[in-house]
């Protein structure tokens, strides 16, 4: 089962690693979009969110304090859902639907990060370190 969990970790973090590349290599364009959604200090926020995603994704992938990595991804996803994908602000039905899908995706992924947090707190196999946080 350790291999199944490892495959799940690889598949899970692929989304974040791909997004990290955009945040860190196309910062101006992504910051422009963030600014259009009302994110304050959009360029620094874009850079910081890219670094948080990178650290969280690598932590979960490699199993280096994976519990901390899962929390970092959670801390990225929840504000992103509300700041970037506020479907309730949209008046165009198509835009509202697209933002609702993205909002729901981020909330679902946030739930998955909490599940990974629990898994890593149990000190699963195929990790480089044990958990950072003690749950017992």
């Amino acid at each position: 089962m350790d291999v199944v969990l490892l495959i799940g970790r690889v598949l899970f973090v692929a989304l974040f690693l791909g997004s990290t590349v955009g945040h860190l290599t196309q910062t101006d364009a992504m910051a422009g979009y963030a600014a259009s959604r009302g994110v304050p200090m959009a360029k620094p926020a874009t850079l910081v969110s890219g670094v948080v995603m990178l650290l969280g994704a690598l932590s979960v992938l490699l199993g280096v304090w994976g519990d901390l990595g899962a929390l970092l991804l959670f801390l990225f996803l929840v504000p992103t859902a509300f700041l970037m994908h506020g479907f309730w602000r949209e008046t165009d039905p198509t835009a509202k639907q697209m933002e609702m899908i993205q909002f729901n995706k981020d909330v679902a992924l946030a739930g998955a990060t909490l599940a990974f947090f629990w898994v890593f707190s149990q000190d699963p196999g195929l990790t480089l370190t044990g958990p950072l946080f003690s749950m017992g």
Side-chain angles (χ1 to χ4, degrees), residues 16-27:
F16 297 103
L17 293 175
S19 293
T20 295
V21 171
H23 278 71
L24 300 180
T25 64
Q26 300 169 9
T27 305

Side-chain angles (χ1 to χ4, degrees), residues 1-11 60-62 125-126:
M1 288 313 236
D2 291 348
V3 172
V4 172
L5 179 59
L6 180 60
I7 292 168
R9 287 165 34 201
V10 169
L11 295 174
V60 168
L61 176 65
L62 300 173
L126 297 179

Side-chain angles (χ1 to χ4, degrees), residues 20 23-24 45-57 72:
T20 295
H23 278 71
L24 300 180
T46 299
L47 289 169
V48 168
S49 64
V51 170
V52 168
M53 276 192 293
L54 178 63
L55 294 174
L72 287 174

